């Protein structure tokens, strides 16, 4: 067991997002951290197809959305699911990947 990171670049409307959900189910026993970047930030929005899943995940695991990607898509903090934290830049993501996680999936 260890810490598993997910770097999610796919929006909830893309097939790859479903793969992310399947992998989360497989690795659920581990400590998970989800980084929503690029089009993946759409998953952080309230009332999307998988918002209930992201909300449930954020209750027990760390879920981050990259600030710059949110801003580029016109997504404001009040549009986010409760529990999703805003993360600025890539520095924290790189440090976490290198020092915290035993395994990282990029989807």
């Amino acid at each position: 067991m260890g810490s598993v990171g997910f770097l999610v670049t796919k929006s909830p409307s893309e097939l790859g997002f479903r793969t992310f959900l399947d992998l989360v189910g497989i690795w659920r026993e581990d400590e998970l951290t989800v980084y929503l970047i690029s089009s993946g930030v759409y998953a952080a929005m309230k009332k999307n197809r998988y918002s209930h899943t992201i909300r449930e995940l954020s209750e027990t695991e760390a879920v981050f959305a990259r600030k710059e990607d949110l801003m580029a898509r016109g997504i404001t903090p009040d549009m986010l699911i409760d529990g999703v934290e805003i993360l600025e830049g890539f520095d924290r993501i790189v440090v976490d990947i290198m020092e915290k996680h035993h395994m990282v999936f990029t989807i």
Side-chain angles (χ1 to χ4, degrees):
M1 299 281 176
S3 177
V4 179
F6 291 92
L7 194 59
V8 182
T9 64
K10 304 297 184 193
S11 75
S13 64
E14 295 179 75
L15 184 59
F17 192 82
R18 182 67 196 153
T19 302
F20 156 67
L21 296 176
D22 290 342
L23 287 169
V24 165
I26 293 169
W27 294 99
R28 196 59 196 232
E29 297 298 316
D30 293 80
E31 177 187 342
L32 306 180
T33 305
V34 178
Y35 306 95
L36 302 170
I37 65 169
S38 189
S39 294
V41 298
Y42 286 115
M45 293 179 65
K46 297 175 184 172
K47 299 181 181 177
N48 76 70
R49 182 176 180 182
Y50 299 105
S51 59
H52 66 284
T53 305
I54 298 299
R55 183 175 46 256
E56 288 173 6
L57 191 59
S58 71
E59 290 173 359
T60 57
E61 311 294 344
V63 179
F64 299 100
R66 186 169 172 264
K67 179 181 180 179
E68 294 81 359
D69 293 319
L70 292 167
M71 291 174 53
R73 289 157 179 80
I75 302 171
T76 59
D78 62 309
M79 299 166 75
L80 298 180
I81 297 166
D82 292 337
V84 173
E85 298 179 53
I86 297 174
L87 187 64
E88 193 166 346
F90 278 110
D91 294 349
R92 165 83 182 275
I93 297 171
V94 172
V95 169
D96 281 1
I97 287 171
M98 298 303 293
E99 297 180 4
K100 178 180 176 184
H101 302 301
H102 294 92
M103 187 178 311
V104 178
F105 293 95
T106 303
I107 301 162

